[in-house]
Amino acid sequence: MGGFFGVASKHDCVFDLFFGTDYHSHLGTRRGGMAVYGEAGFDRAIHNIENAPFRTKFDKDMREMKGYLGIGCISDYEPQPLIVRSHHGTYAITTVGKINNTDEITRIIFEKGNTHFLEMSGGDVNPTELVAAVINQKENLIEGIRYAQEIIDGSITLMLLTPKGIYAARDRLGRTPVILGRKEDAFCISFESFAYLNLGYEDYRELGPGEIVVVTPDEVRTLVQPGKEMKICTFLWVYYGYPSSSYEGTSVELMRYRCGEKMAERDDAKPDIVAGVPDSGIAHAVGYANRSGIPYSRPFIKYTPTWPRSFMPTIQDRRNLIARMKLIPIHQLIEGKSLLLIDDSIVRGTQLRETTEFLYQSGAKEVHIRPACPPLVYGCKYLNFSRSNSDMDLITRRVIRKLEGDEVTEEVLQEYTDPSSEKYDRMVEEIRKELNFTSLRYNRLDDLLSSIDIEPCKLCTYCWNGKE
């Protein structure tokens, strides 16, 4: 995944840029970057942040960089922002999204005379470089950005920094957010709505789907009006969004409370305590506990002082141990107890199985699992939410293959997404047995969608029901 932050100020913007970008650290763990424009022209810094937080790696850069326009990003994938010299002039660009038709776009650009692309270490073309190449096919930046929105299969949201201002463009179907903040003498552009509040900005407005604006220290000017159709990612509320954020006017934290409440209303389990898997499962669990009347408790705590990110060693046989070392049990709250544990989702199932084993080893009598969203049956086509390369990485698809064989039609898959079907019940029971849960009950999609105060037709639910 990834997030970004931009600032257009009448004064030096680097302080705001540094902290605003850092507030997106929950969205990526691999690369961070900042680019600014000022009296000395463009300046940029990119660092690997896999084993150290953004603030540590960029502290020196913050003290040395100067500029009144700037963009920053946190990325789980490619190094960015990039600085590009083109017939449009020099600009810096950062993107969030996913490109499924990279080969097709690369071929089109080669046919039009582009000579090469730099490969990243895995052999892939840098997606942000590819977007810049698409933009450069057109006579001006606005046409170029619109062309990128049209030609890319997947999603693309971007910021483009020029000497005259910052262009911000939301994905054509608004799959990811772009939010504007304002204070005296400055505007900011953010993925997360909370990232600018402690910097003195107030909410200004959100960009609509496909909207393109240019932001200067004096104004935000719309260059392309927003479209009417929207498919914002529902998983932002379930998992990726930070609790203090809001998208389309709906608070992440409050949505998770409502989600937990609806799960409790349909459940008949009678555990001793309700708990949430840190961090995103906690708010769902609070909502469940409040509605059910079952006490909320924290039977294990995430140790955060020396675990700022998901550092993983290269020694394969120690990876699983390290993955759970940050969770510290409180035996007095676990031993002999029946626990109901809420996590945001089950993807592969590996971590939740090990968390469950960890609770049994710590003396738990029962562990009931309640994922806050329906079974993930389809890999996301629109955002880089995981590093999975195949739908078969999903535990649901592995279980379906076990039950149905290698050849599974779309019609059969749809039966497995229907919570009233026998196939759905069989799949859930197989997952329960494989992961060694006392019981397993997923949240329903209709309840999930009703927890978000947005028309369901504006929400993307592809990963759960395969509906475009």
Side-chain angles (χ1 to χ4, degrees), residues 395-408:
I395 191 170
T396 53
R397 295 298 281 267
R398 296 199 303 272
V399 166
I400 291 170
R401 182 171 60 184
K402 176 182 174 182
L403 295 172
E404 298 285 342
D406 290 337
E407 299 298 325
V408 180

Side-chain angles (χ1 to χ4, degrees), residues 18 23 68 204 211 242 262 306 320 397 400 415 423:
F18 172 79
Y23 270 133
Y68 49 88
Y204 186 58
E211 184 175 1
Y242 208 68
K262 292 181 182 299
T306 55
N320 292 339
R397 295 298 281 267
I400 291 170
E415 290 185 67
K423 288 185 183 292

Side-chain angles (χ1 to χ4, degrees), residues 307 309-327 351 354:
W307 294 86
R309 54 197 53 252
S310 299
F311 165 70
M312 294 295 283
T314 56
I315 305 172
Q316 184 65 35
D317 63 358
R318 293 290 180 178
R319 288 174 68 89
N320 292 339
L321 173 62
I322 294 291
R324 68 173 186 266
M325 278 179 65
K326 66 178 74 173
L327 297 179
Q351 284 191 325
E354 296 204 349

